mmCIF file of all heavy atoms in Angstrom:
data_model
loop_
_atom_site.group_PDB
_atom_site.id
_atom_site.type_symbol
_atom_site.label_atom_id
_atom_site.label_comp_id
_atom_site.label_asym_id
_atom_site.label_seq_id
_atom_site.Cartn_x
_atom_site.Cartn_y
_atom_site.Cartn_z
ATOM 1 N N ILE A 102 -36.438 21.303 3.669
ATOM 2 C CA ILE A 102 -35.678 21.380 2.520
ATOM 3 C C ILE A 102 -34.185 21.494 2.894
ATOM 4 O O ILE A 102 -33.795 22.198 3.652
ATOM 5 C CB ILE A 102 -36.062 22.700 1.645
ATOM 6 C CG1 ILE A 102 -37.589 22.481 1.329
ATOM 7 C CG2 ILE A 102 -35.173 22.717 0.419
ATOM 8 C CD1 ILE A 102 -38.142 23.802 0.800
ATOM 9 N N LYS A 103 -33.360 20.690 2.126
ATOM 10 C CA LYS A 103 -31.888 20.730 2.412
ATOM 11 C C LYS A 103 -31.265 22.170 2.152
ATOM 12 O O LYS A 103 -31.691 22.777 1.152
ATOM 13 C CB LYS A 103 -31.202 19.762 1.562
ATOM 14 C CG LYS A 103 -31.501 18.279 1.933
ATOM 15 C CD LYS A 103 -30.706 17.346 1.099
ATOM 16 C CE LYS A 103 -31.012 15.916 1.417
ATOM 17 N NZ LYS A 103 -30.220 14.881 0.654
ATOM 18 N N VAL A 104 -30.414 22.493 2.975
ATOM 19 C CA VAL A 104 -29.724 23.739 2.906
ATOM 20 C C VAL A 104 -29.065 23.985 1.541
ATOM 21 O O VAL A 104 -29.093 25.020 0.939
ATOM 22 C CB VAL A 104 -28.674 24.064 4.023
ATOM 23 C CG1 VAL A 104 -27.914 25.408 3.815
ATOM 24 C CG2 VAL A 104 -29.412 24.029 5.437
ATOM 25 N N GLU A 105 -28.410 22.847 1.055
ATOM 26 C CA GLU A 105 -27.812 22.948 -0.184
ATOM 27 C C GLU A 105 -28.805 23.352 -1.300
ATOM 28 O O GLU A 105 -28.469 24.134 -2.299
ATOM 29 C CB GLU A 105 -27.205 21.631 -0.558
ATOM 30 C CG GLU A 105 -25.947 21.265 0.351
ATOM 31 C CD GLU A 105 -26.499 20.552 1.632
ATOM 32 O OE1 GLU A 105 -27.683 20.298 1.778
ATOM 33 O OE2 GLU A 105 -25.714 20.621 2.590
ATOM 34 N N TYR A 106 -29.949 22.833 -1.272
ATOM 35 C CA TYR A 106 -31.012 23.058 -2.397
ATOM 36 C C TYR A 106 -31.488 24.547 -2.162
ATOM 37 O O TYR A 106 -31.635 25.242 -3.182
ATOM 38 C CB TYR A 106 -32.164 22.160 -2.144
ATOM 39 C CG TYR A 106 -33.205 22.391 -3.335
ATOM 40 C CD1 TYR A 106 -33.049 21.727 -4.498
ATOM 41 C CD2 TYR A 106 -34.344 23.262 -3.179
ATOM 42 C CE1 TYR A 106 -33.907 21.976 -5.544
ATOM 43 C CE2 TYR A 106 -35.194 23.532 -4.114
ATOM 44 C CZ TYR A 106 -35.047 22.860 -5.380
ATOM 45 O OH TYR A 106 -35.909 23.058 -6.426
ATOM 46 N N ILE A 107 -31.605 25.048 -0.954
ATOM 47 C CA ILE A 107 -31.979 26.485 -0.714
ATOM 48 C C ILE A 107 -30.903 27.379 -1.245
ATOM 49 O O ILE A 107 -31.220 28.358 -2.007
ATOM 50 C CB ILE A 107 -32.180 26.761 0.830
ATOM 51 C CG1 ILE A 107 -33.307 25.977 1.293
ATOM 52 C CG2 ILE A 107 -32.344 28.198 1.087
ATOM 53 C CD1 ILE A 107 -33.604 25.943 2.856
ATOM 54 N N ARG A 108 -29.621 27.084 -1.076
ATOM 55 C CA ARG A 108 -28.624 27.907 -1.554
ATOM 56 C C ARG A 108 -28.552 27.995 -3.133
ATOM 57 O O ARG A 108 -28.380 28.946 -3.758
ATOM 58 C CB ARG A 108 -27.232 27.473 -1.143
ATOM 59 C CG ARG A 108 -26.948 27.752 0.375
ATOM 60 C CD ARG A 108 -25.591 27.492 0.801
ATOM 61 N NE ARG A 108 -25.328 27.742 2.172
ATOM 62 C CZ ARG A 108 -25.047 26.813 3.091
ATOM 63 N NH1 ARG A 108 -24.852 25.586 2.894
ATOM 64 N NH2 ARG A 108 -24.904 27.267 4.282
ATOM 65 N N THR A 109 -28.791 26.755 -3.669
ATOM 66 C CA THR A 109 -28.802 26.614 -5.250
ATOM 67 C C THR A 109 -30.104 27.521 -5.806
ATOM 68 O O THR A 109 -29.804 28.236 -6.652
ATOM 69 C CB THR A 109 -28.947 25.165 -5.578
ATOM 70 O OG1 THR A 109 -27.899 24.502 -5.072
ATOM 71 C CG2 THR A 109 -29.079 25.088 -7.087
ATOM 72 N N SER A 110 -31.121 27.314 -5.111
ATOM 73 C CA SER A 110 -32.341 28.072 -5.512
ATOM 74 C C SER A 110 -32.081 29.602 -5.500
ATOM 75 O O SER A 110 -32.525 30.309 -6.333
ATOM 76 C CB SER A 110 -33.578 27.724 -4.690
ATOM 77 O OG SER A 110 -33.940 26.437 -4.999
ATOM 78 N N ILE A 111 -31.539 30.060 -4.341
ATOM 79 C CA ILE A 111 -31.140 31.473 -4.175
ATOM 80 C C ILE A 111 -30.178 31.913 -5.344
ATOM 81 O O ILE A 111 -30.415 32.995 -5.846
ATOM 82 C CB ILE A 111 -30.696 31.755 -2.798
ATOM 83 C CG1 ILE A 111 -31.807 31.620 -1.801
ATOM 84 C CG2 ILE A 111 -30.055 33.220 -2.726
ATOM 85 C CD1 ILE A 111 -31.445 31.622 -0.327
ATOM 86 N N SER A 112 -29.184 31.107 -5.585
ATOM 87 C CA SER A 112 -28.120 31.484 -6.577
ATOM 88 C C SER A 112 -28.798 31.576 -7.942
ATOM 89 O O SER A 112 -28.284 32.431 -8.742
ATOM 90 C CB SER A 112 -26.974 30.501 -6.526
ATOM 91 O OG SER A 112 -27.377 29.354 -7.042
ATOM 92 N N ARG A 113 -29.739 30.867 -8.344
ATOM 93 C CA ARG A 113 -30.393 31.020 -9.588
ATOM 94 C C ARG A 113 -31.667 31.814 -9.524
ATOM 95 O O ARG A 113 -32.444 31.909 -10.428
ATOM 96 C CB ARG A 113 -30.760 29.615 -10.196
ATOM 97 C CG ARG A 113 -31.564 28.694 -9.469
ATOM 98 C CD ARG A 113 -31.812 27.408 -10.188
ATOM 99 N NE ARG A 113 -32.370 26.399 -9.308
ATOM 100 C CZ ARG A 113 -33.464 26.417 -8.817
ATOM 101 N NH1 ARG A 113 -34.304 27.294 -9.225
ATOM 102 N NH2 ARG A 113 -33.876 25.319 -8.103
ATOM 103 N N LYS A 114 -31.823 32.529 -8.380
ATOM 104 C CA LYS A 114 -32.883 33.425 -8.166
ATOM 105 C C LYS A 114 -34.242 32.874 -8.366
ATOM 106 O O LYS A 114 -35.233 33.484 -8.857
ATOM 107 C CB LYS A 114 -32.844 34.655 -9.094
ATOM 108 C CG LYS A 114 -31.459 35.455 -8.827
ATOM 109 C CD LYS A 114 -31.173 36.558 -9.739
ATOM 110 C CE LYS A 114 -29.825 37.231 -9.276
ATOM 111 N NZ LYS A 114 -29.372 38.318 -10.033
ATOM 112 N N PHE A 115 -34.443 31.597 -7.884
ATOM 113 C CA PHE A 115 -35.675 30.797 -7.794
ATOM 114 C C PHE A 115 -36.169 30.476 -9.113
ATOM 115 O O PHE A 115 -37.378 29.976 -9.226
ATOM 116 C CB PHE A 115 -36.704 31.583 -6.977
ATOM 117 C CG PHE A 115 -36.148 31.747 -5.584
ATOM 118 C CD1 PHE A 115 -35.616 33.027 -5.188
ATOM 119 C CD2 PHE A 115 -36.170 30.874 -4.616
ATOM 120 C CE1 PHE A 115 -35.257 33.273 -3.876
ATOM 121 C CE2 PHE A 115 -35.653 30.979 -3.286
ATOM 122 C CZ PHE A 115 -35.285 32.275 -3.018
ATOM 123 N N LYS A 116 -35.570 30.656 -10.266
ATOM 124 C CA LYS A 116 -36.120 30.419 -11.620
ATOM 125 C C LYS A 116 -35.297 29.419 -12.276
ATOM 126 O O LYS A 116 -34.010 29.492 -12.215
ATOM 127 C CB LYS A 116 -36.242 31.701 -12.376
ATOM 128 C CG LYS A 116 -37.260 32.624 -11.833
ATOM 129 C CD LYS A 116 -37.396 33.845 -12.654
ATOM 130 C CE LYS A 116 -38.452 34.837 -12.194
ATOM 131 N NZ LYS A 116 -38.502 35.897 -13.070
#
Side-chain angles (χ1 to χ4, degrees):
I102 301 170
K103 291 182 180 182
V104 174
E105 295 80 17
Y106 185 85
I107 293 171
R108 286 188 181 117
T109 300
S110 292
I111 292 170
S112 71
R113 59 179 163 69
K114 299 180 182 176
F115 301 100
K116 292 183 181 179

